[in-house]
Amino acid sequence: MDLNKILNTVHEKELDSLLILKPENIFYLSGHKPSSFSILLIKDDVTLYTSKMDMEEALNNSNIPIDEFKSFDEFKKNLNGRVGVEKSMPVSIYKKFCNDHEMRISDIIESFRMIKSPDEIRNIQEAIKIAEDSLLNIDYHGTENKFAADLEYNMKFNGSTKPAFDTIVASGKRSSIPHATISSNTLE
């Protein structure tokens, strides 16, 4: 991911700045996964504003400059003109900016995320290998709960940091439930 290309696109779209709140997009751009409120500002440069609680971890993990987010009033001093926002921005936060700035919905970051870099492709291939190895070394007997626990253990043992989402195990009549919660039922 090339921040200069993103900065150029922001200017090509005639935006004076772009606000990023979605944690996945903040991670994509900075390498830091916020655990609490963070806002990434793309202007003439890029800065991640994060809560005091996340400051130490952000300083250790982010590949872009960090500043402490103190308040919306303080943060708004960094903005002028046309401000791009993600379509997922909560209305409550949008309202904090819309009276002072021309707000425009933007999908710039999502567009960049669609095209995978060689590093991202390698990460995807590694994730596939972890998943395959984890499924190959599992006992397909016992309860759904035990199967899920064994699978998550295998994934971590094989190099995963955590599941991307809650593990779904459903067998028998429950196998048609797309987002089934794990039960203590015996695997069928």
Side-chain angles (χ1 to χ4, degrees):
M1 182 267 325
D2 184 349
L3 284 174
N4 287 325
K5 286 182 182 178
I6 292 172
L7 284 165
N8 289 337
T9 304
V10 168
H11 296 301
E12 286 170 10
K13 300 277 186 182
E14 299 182 352
L15 296 172
D16 297 302
S17 58
L18 178 64
L19 302 181
I20 307 298
L21 283 99
K22 200 172 184 181
E24 306 87 72
N25 289 341
I26 289 174
F27 177 72
Y28 174 76
L29 294 166
S30 73
H32 168 65
K33 284 185 183 177
S35 68
S36 62
F37 184 80
S38 292
I39 187 166
L40 194 139
L41 173 61
I42 299 173
K43 202 172 166 181
D44 296 323
D45 53 8
V46 182
T47 304
L48 175 60
Y49 292 82
T50 191
S51 69
K52 195 170 192 168
M53 183 172 85
D54 275 351
M55 187 62 75
E56 184 177 350
E57 188 168 347
L59 287 168
N60 289 331
N61 295 324
S62 178
N63 54 28
I64 61 173
I66 304 292
D67 202 349
E68 184 180 344
F69 179 83
K70 295 178 179 146
S71 71
F72 282 104
D73 287 335
E74 186 72 25
F75 180 81
K76 285 195 287 189
K77 294 176 185 175
N78 297 302
L79 303 177
N80 58 3
R82 294 175 299 276
V83 178
V85 298
E86 299 163 301
K87 63 183 171 186
S88 60
M89 176 183 264
V91 173
S92 61
I93 294 176
Y94 177 84
K95 287 180 178 181
K96 294 180 187 301
F97 297 107
C98 67
N99 291 330
D100 302 316
H101 304 284
E102 180 185 338
M103 308 295 280
R104 294 188 181 173
I105 294 175
S106 171
D107 65 351
I108 292 172
I109 305 306
E110 287 78 4
S111 296
F112 273 88
R113 288 185 65 188
M114 284 186 213
I115 301 167
K116 302 302 180 200
S117 70
D119 282 344
E120 289 173 306
I121 292 169
R122 277 190 293 281
N123 287 340
I124 291 167
Q125 290 169 332
E126 180 61 25
I128 291 168
K129 181 170 178 10
I130 288 170
E132 289 173 342
D133 291 348
S134 298
L135 286 167
L136 288 173
N137 296 311
I138 198 162
D139 181 14
Y140 287 86
H141 298 90
T143 65
E144 292 175 1
N145 196 19
K146 181 169 182 335
F147 182 88
D150 290 346
L151 179 60
E152 288 182 21
Y153 171 82
N154 286 355
M155 289 187 301
K156 288 183 179 183
F157 182 81
N158 287 311
S160 175
T161 54
K162 67 178 187 121
F165 48 85
D166 289 339
T167 302
I168 299 169
V169 178
S171 65
K173 293 178 187 176
R174 292 173 22 84
S175 63
S176 65
I177 303 171
H179 298 284
T181 56
I182 298 169
S183 77
S184 57
N185 296 349
T186 301
L187 288 172
E188 294 181 38

Short mmCIF file of all heavy atoms in Angstrom, two decimals, residues 5-20 41-45 78-87 101-110 112:
data_model
loop_
_atom_site.label_atom_id
_atom_site.label_comp_id
_atom_site.label_asym_id
_atom_site.label_seq_id
_atom_site.Cartn_x
_atom_site.Cartn_y
_atom_site.Cartn_z
N LYS A 5 0.15 7.34 -3.25
CA LYS A 5 -0.93 7.13 -4.23
C LYS A 5 -2.28 7.52 -3.62
O LYS A 5 -3.13 8.10 -4.28
CB LYS A 5 -0.97 5.67 -4.69
CG LYS A 5 0.14 5.30 -5.63
CD LYS A 5 -0.01 3.86 -6.08
CE LYS A 5 1.13 3.44 -6.97
NZ LYS A 5 1.02 2.04 -7.38
N ILE A 6 -2.46 7.18 -2.35
CA ILE A 6 -3.72 7.54 -1.67
C ILE A 6 -3.83 9.05 -1.53
O ILE A 6 -4.88 9.63 -1.82
CB ILE A 6 -3.83 6.82 -0.31
CG1 ILE A 6 -4.00 5.31 -0.55
CG2 ILE A 6 -4.98 7.39 0.51
CD1 ILE A 6 -3.95 4.47 0.68
N LEU A 7 -2.74 9.71 -1.13
CA LEU A 7 -2.74 11.17 -1.03
C LEU A 7 -3.06 11.81 -2.37
O LEU A 7 -3.86 12.76 -2.44
CB LEU A 7 -1.38 11.67 -0.52
CG LEU A 7 -1.11 11.50 0.96
CD1 LEU A 7 0.37 11.69 1.27
CD2 LEU A 7 -1.94 12.46 1.78
N ASN A 8 -2.47 11.30 -3.45
CA ASN A 8 -2.75 11.83 -4.79
C ASN A 8 -4.21 11.64 -5.16
O ASN A 8 -4.84 12.54 -5.75
CB ASN A 8 -1.85 11.17 -5.84
CG ASN A 8 -0.41 11.61 -5.72
OD1 ASN A 8 -0.11 12.68 -5.19
ND2 ASN A 8 0.50 10.78 -6.21
N THR A 9 -4.77 10.48 -4.82
CA THR A 9 -6.18 10.22 -5.13
C THR A 9 -7.09 11.15 -4.35
O THR A 9 -8.09 11.64 -4.88
CB THR A 9 -6.53 8.74 -4.83
OG1 THR A 9 -5.64 7.91 -5.57
CG2 THR A 9 -7.96 8.42 -5.23
N VAL A 10 -6.77 11.42 -3.09
CA VAL A 10 -7.55 12.37 -2.29
C VAL A 10 -7.59 13.71 -2.99
O VAL A 10 -8.65 14.32 -3.13
CB VAL A 10 -6.96 12.49 -0.85
CG1 VAL A 10 -7.55 13.68 -0.11
CG2 VAL A 10 -7.19 11.20 -0.07
N HIS A 11 -6.44 14.17 -3.49
CA HIS A 11 -6.39 15.47 -4.18
C HIS A 11 -7.09 15.41 -5.53
O HIS A 11 -7.78 16.38 -5.91
CB HIS A 11 -4.95 15.94 -4.31
CG HIS A 11 -4.31 16.20 -2.98
ND1 HIS A 11 -4.80 17.13 -2.08
CD2 HIS A 11 -3.24 15.64 -2.37
CE1 HIS A 11 -4.06 17.14 -0.98
NE2 HIS A 11 -3.10 16.23 -1.14
N GLU A 12 -6.97 14.28 -6.25
CA GLU A 12 -7.66 14.13 -7.54
C GLU A 12 -9.18 14.19 -7.37
O GLU A 12 -9.90 14.68 -8.24
CB GLU A 12 -7.28 12.80 -8.19
CG GLU A 12 -5.89 12.77 -8.78
CD GLU A 12 -5.46 11.38 -9.19
OE1 GLU A 12 -6.30 10.44 -9.21
OE2 GLU A 12 -4.26 11.21 -9.48
N LYS A 13 -9.68 13.68 -6.25
CA LYS A 13 -11.12 13.70 -5.96
C LYS A 13 -11.55 15.06 -5.40
O LYS A 13 -12.69 15.22 -4.98
CB LYS A 13 -11.47 12.60 -4.96
CG LYS A 13 -11.15 11.20 -5.41
CD LYS A 13 -12.22 10.66 -6.28
CE LYS A 13 -11.92 9.20 -6.61
NZ LYS A 13 -12.89 8.62 -7.48
N GLU A 14 -10.63 16.01 -5.42
CA GLU A 14 -10.89 17.38 -4.95
C GLU A 14 -11.34 17.42 -3.50
O GLU A 14 -12.23 18.18 -3.12
CB GLU A 14 -11.88 18.08 -5.87
CG GLU A 14 -11.36 18.21 -7.29
CD GLU A 14 -12.31 18.95 -8.22
OE1 GLU A 14 -13.45 19.25 -7.82
OE2 GLU A 14 -11.90 19.22 -9.35
N LEU A 15 -10.69 16.59 -2.69
CA LEU A 15 -10.92 16.61 -1.25
C LEU A 15 -9.73 17.30 -0.57
O LEU A 15 -8.60 17.14 -1.00
CB LEU A 15 -11.05 15.18 -0.71
CG LEU A 15 -12.24 14.36 -1.22
CD1 LEU A 15 -12.12 12.91 -0.76
CD2 LEU A 15 -13.54 14.97 -0.76
N ASP A 16 -10.03 18.04 0.48
CA ASP A 16 -8.96 18.66 1.24
C ASP A 16 -8.41 17.71 2.31
O ASP A 16 -7.27 17.86 2.75
CB ASP A 16 -9.47 19.96 1.88
CG ASP A 16 -9.88 20.97 0.82
OD1 ASP A 16 -9.02 21.32 -0.01
OD2 ASP A 16 -11.05 21.38 0.80
N SER A 17 -9.24 16.76 2.70
CA SER A 17 -8.80 15.75 3.67
C SER A 17 -9.73 14.55 3.60
O SER A 17 -10.82 14.62 3.01
CB SER A 17 -8.77 16.33 5.08
OG SER A 17 -10.03 16.82 5.46
N LEU A 18 -9.32 13.47 4.21
CA LEU A 18 -10.10 12.24 4.26
C LEU A 18 -10.00 11.69 5.68
O LEU A 18 -8.91 11.58 6.23
CB LEU A 18 -9.55 11.23 3.25
CG LEU A 18 -10.22 9.86 3.17
CD1 LEU A 18 -11.67 9.99 2.71
CD2 LEU A 18 -9.45 8.95 2.20
N LEU A 19 -11.16 11.38 6.26
CA LEU A 19 -11.21 10.82 7.62
C LEU A 19 -11.49 9.33 7.55
O LEU A 19 -12.41 8.89 6.86
CB LEU A 19 -12.33 11.49 8.43
CG LEU A 19 -12.26 12.99 8.60
CD1 LEU A 19 -13.43 13.48 9.44
CD2 LEU A 19 -10.95 13.41 9.21
N ILE A 20 -10.71 8.56 8.28
CA ILE A 20 -10.85 7.11 8.33
C ILE A 20 -11.12 6.70 9.77
O ILE A 20 -10.30 6.97 10.65
CB ILE A 20 -9.58 6.40 7.81
CG1 ILE A 20 -9.17 6.92 6.43
CG2 ILE A 20 -9.75 4.89 7.83
CD1 ILE A 20 -10.20 6.69 5.34
N LEU A 41 -6.33 10.74 9.82
CA LEU A 41 -6.52 11.93 8.99
C LEU A 41 -5.52 11.90 7.84
O LEU A 41 -4.31 11.84 8.05
CB LEU A 41 -6.31 13.20 9.83
CG LEU A 41 -6.31 14.52 9.07
CD1 LEU A 41 -7.64 14.76 8.36
CD2 LEU A 41 -5.98 15.67 10.02
N ILE A 42 -6.07 11.91 6.63
CA ILE A 42 -5.25 12.01 5.43
C ILE A 42 -5.47 13.42 4.89
O ILE A 42 -6.59 13.80 4.54
CB ILE A 42 -5.66 10.96 4.38
CG1 ILE A 42 -5.47 9.56 4.96
CG2 ILE A 42 -4.85 11.14 3.10
CD1 ILE A 42 -5.99 8.45 4.08
N LYS A 43 -4.40 14.19 4.87
CA LYS A 43 -4.48 15.58 4.44
C LYS A 43 -3.30 15.79 3.50
O LYS A 43 -3.20 15.11 2.50
CB LYS A 43 -4.43 16.49 5.68
CG LYS A 43 -4.99 17.85 5.49
CD LYS A 43 -5.07 18.57 6.83
CE LYS A 43 -5.31 20.03 6.62
NZ LYS A 43 -5.35 20.77 7.86
N ASP A 44 -2.41 16.70 3.84
CA ASP A 44 -1.16 16.84 3.07
C ASP A 44 -0.19 15.75 3.49
O ASP A 44 0.77 15.45 2.80
CB ASP A 44 -0.54 18.21 3.30
CG ASP A 44 -1.44 19.32 2.77
OD1 ASP A 44 -2.07 19.10 1.72
OD2 ASP A 44 -1.53 20.37 3.41
N ASP A 45 -0.43 15.19 4.66
CA ASP A 45 0.30 14.04 5.16
C ASP A 45 -0.71 13.15 5.87
O ASP A 45 -1.91 13.38 5.81
CB ASP A 45 1.45 14.47 6.08
CG ASP A 45 0.97 15.38 7.21
OD1 ASP A 45 -0.25 15.57 7.36
OD2 ASP A 45 1.82 15.91 7.93
N ASN A 78 -7.89 20.70 12.64
CA ASN A 78 -7.03 20.17 11.58
C ASN A 78 -7.72 20.16 10.22
O ASN A 78 -7.08 19.85 9.22
CB ASN A 78 -6.60 18.73 11.91
CG ASN A 78 -5.78 18.65 13.16
OD1 ASN A 78 -4.74 19.26 13.25
ND2 ASN A 78 -6.26 17.89 14.12
N LEU A 79 -9.00 20.44 10.19
CA LEU A 79 -9.78 20.28 8.97
C LEU A 79 -10.13 21.63 8.35
O LEU A 79 -10.27 22.63 9.04
CB LEU A 79 -11.08 19.53 9.27
CG LEU A 79 -10.94 18.16 9.90
CD1 LEU A 79 -12.32 17.59 10.21
CD2 LEU A 79 -10.16 17.21 9.01
N ASN A 80 -10.28 21.59 7.02
CA ASN A 80 -10.84 22.73 6.30
C ASN A 80 -11.41 22.23 4.98
O ASN A 80 -11.07 21.16 4.51
CB ASN A 80 -9.77 23.81 6.06
CG ASN A 80 -8.58 23.29 5.29
OD1 ASN A 80 -8.56 22.14 4.88
ND2 ASN A 80 -7.59 24.13 5.10
N GLY A 81 -12.31 22.99 4.41
CA GLY A 81 -12.84 22.67 3.09
C GLY A 81 -13.62 21.38 3.00
O GLY A 81 -14.40 21.04 3.88
N ARG A 82 -13.38 20.66 1.90
CA ARG A 82 -14.11 19.42 1.59
C ARG A 82 -13.45 18.24 2.30
O ARG A 82 -12.27 17.98 2.11
CB ARG A 82 -14.14 19.20 0.09
CG ARG A 82 -14.95 20.26 -0.66
CD ARG A 82 -14.86 20.08 -2.16
NE ARG A 82 -13.49 20.18 -2.66
CZ ARG A 82 -12.86 21.33 -2.95
NH1 ARG A 82 -13.48 22.47 -2.78
NH2 ARG A 82 -11.63 21.32 -3.40
N VAL A 83 -14.27 17.52 3.08
CA VAL A 83 -13.77 16.41 3.88
C VAL A 83 -14.42 15.12 3.40
O VAL A 83 -15.64 14.99 3.41
CB VAL A 83 -14.08 16.64 5.38
CG1 VAL A 83 -13.59 15.46 6.21
CG2 VAL A 83 -13.45 17.94 5.87
N GLY A 84 -13.60 14.17 2.97
CA GLY A 84 -14.09 12.86 2.59
C GLY A 84 -14.27 11.99 3.82
O GLY A 84 -13.46 12.05 4.75
N VAL A 85 -15.33 11.20 3.82
CA VAL A 85 -15.61 10.28 4.93
C VAL A 85 -16.01 8.92 4.38
O VAL A 85 -16.55 8.82 3.28
CB VAL A 85 -16.71 10.83 5.87
CG1 VAL A 85 -16.29 12.14 6.51
CG2 VAL A 85 -18.04 10.99 5.15
N GLU A 86 -15.78 7.90 5.16
CA GLU A 86 -16.22 6.56 4.79
C GLU A 86 -17.74 6.49 4.91
O GLU A 86 -18.33 7.12 5.78
CB GLU A 86 -15.60 5.53 5.73
CG GLU A 86 -14.10 5.48 5.71
CD GLU A 86 -13.53 4.77 6.92
OE1 GLU A 86 -13.80 5.21 8.05
OE2 GLU A 86 -12.82 3.79 6.72
N LYS A 87 -18.36 5.68 4.06
CA LYS A 87 -19.83 5.55 4.14
C LYS A 87 -20.27 4.86 5.42
O LYS A 87 -21.42 4.97 5.82
CB LYS A 87 -20.38 4.85 2.91
CG LYS A 87 -19.92 3.43 2.71
CD LYS A 87 -20.48 2.86 1.43
CE LYS A 87 -19.84 1.52 1.13
NZ LYS A 87 -20.27 1.02 -0.16
N HIS A 101 -18.04 21.73 7.85
CA HIS A 101 -17.29 21.31 6.66
C HIS A 101 -18.23 20.70 5.63
O HIS A 101 -19.27 20.15 5.97
CB HIS A 101 -16.23 20.27 7.04
CG HIS A 101 -15.29 20.76 8.09
ND1 HIS A 101 -14.29 21.65 7.83
CD2 HIS A 101 -15.22 20.51 9.42
CE1 HIS A 101 -13.64 21.92 8.94
NE2 HIS A 101 -14.19 21.24 9.92
N GLU A 102 -17.81 20.78 4.37
CA GLU A 102 -18.52 20.10 3.30
C GLU A 102 -18.08 18.64 3.32
O GLU A 102 -16.92 18.33 3.08
CB GLU A 102 -18.18 20.73 1.95
CG GLU A 102 -18.89 20.09 0.79
CD GLU A 102 -18.44 20.65 -0.55
OE1 GLU A 102 -17.92 21.79 -0.59
OE2 GLU A 102 -18.61 19.93 -1.55
N MET A 103 -19.02 17.76 3.63
CA MET A 103 -18.70 16.34 3.78
C MET A 103 -19.05 15.59 2.49
O MET A 103 -20.11 15.82 1.90
CB MET A 103 -19.49 15.75 4.94
CG MET A 103 -19.35 16.53 6.26
SD MET A 103 -17.70 16.51 6.91
CE MET A 103 -17.68 14.92 7.67
N ARG A 104 -18.15 14.70 2.08
CA ARG A 104 -18.38 13.88 0.88
C ARG A 104 -18.06 12.42 1.21
O ARG A 104 -16.99 12.12 1.75
CB ARG A 104 -17.49 14.33 -0.27
CG ARG A 104 -17.82 15.71 -0.77
CD ARG A 104 -17.03 15.99 -2.01
NE ARG A 104 -17.32 17.33 -2.52
CZ ARG A 104 -16.66 17.87 -3.52
NH1 ARG A 104 -15.69 17.21 -4.11
NH2 ARG A 104 -16.97 19.08 -3.93
N ILE A 105 -18.96 11.55 0.86
CA ILE A 105 -18.72 10.11 1.07
C ILE A 105 -17.68 9.65 0.05
O ILE A 105 -17.75 9.99 -1.13
CB ILE A 105 -20.03 9.32 0.94
CG1 ILE A 105 -20.97 9.71 2.08
CG2 ILE A 105 -19.76 7.82 0.95
CD1 ILE A 105 -22.33 9.08 2.01
N SER A 106 -16.72 8.87 0.52
CA SER A 106 -15.63 8.43 -0.33
C SER A 106 -15.35 6.95 -0.12
O SER A 106 -15.41 6.45 1.00
CB SER A 106 -14.38 9.24 0.00
OG SER A 106 -13.26 8.70 -0.65
N ASP A 107 -15.01 6.27 -1.19
CA ASP A 107 -14.61 4.85 -1.11
C ASP A 107 -13.16 4.67 -1.54
O ASP A 107 -12.76 3.61 -2.01
CB ASP A 107 -15.54 3.98 -1.94
CG ASP A 107 -15.46 4.29 -3.43
OD1 ASP A 107 -14.80 5.29 -3.82
OD2 ASP A 107 -16.05 3.52 -4.22
N ILE A 108 -12.36 5.71 -1.36
CA ILE A 108 -10.95 5.67 -1.81
C ILE A 108 -10.21 4.48 -1.19
O ILE A 108 -9.56 3.71 -1.89
CB ILE A 108 -10.23 6.99 -1.48
CG1 ILE A 108 -10.79 8.12 -2.34
CG2 ILE A 108 -8.72 6.85 -1.68
CD1 ILE A 108 -10.29 9.51 -1.96
N ILE A 109 -10.32 4.33 0.12
CA ILE A 109 -9.55 3.26 0.79
C ILE A 109 -10.06 1.89 0.36
O ILE A 109 -9.27 0.98 0.07
CB ILE A 109 -9.59 3.41 2.32
CG1 ILE A 109 -9.10 4.81 2.74
CG2 ILE A 109 -8.79 2.31 3.00
CD1 ILE A 109 -7.75 5.20 2.21
N GLU A 110 -11.38 1.73 0.28
CA GLU A 110 -11.95 0.45 -0.16
C GLU A 110 -11.46 0.10 -1.57
O GLU A 110 -11.17 -1.06 -1.86
CB GLU A 110 -13.48 0.48 -0.11
CG GLU A 110 -14.05 0.43 1.29
CD GLU A 110 -14.00 1.75 2.04
OE1 GLU A 110 -13.59 2.79 1.47
OE2 GLU A 110 -14.36 1.76 3.24
N PHE A 112 -8.61 0.98 -2.96
CA PHE A 112 -7.21 0.54 -2.87
C PHE A 112 -7.12 -0.86 -2.28
O PHE A 112 -6.26 -1.64 -2.68
CB PHE A 112 -6.38 1.53 -2.03
CG PHE A 112 -5.83 2.67 -2.83
CD1 PHE A 112 -6.55 3.82 -3.01
CD2 PHE A 112 -4.57 2.58 -3.41
CE1 PHE A 112 -6.05 4.88 -3.74
CE2 PHE A 112 -4.06 3.62 -4.17
CZ PHE A 112 -4.80 4.79 -4.33
#
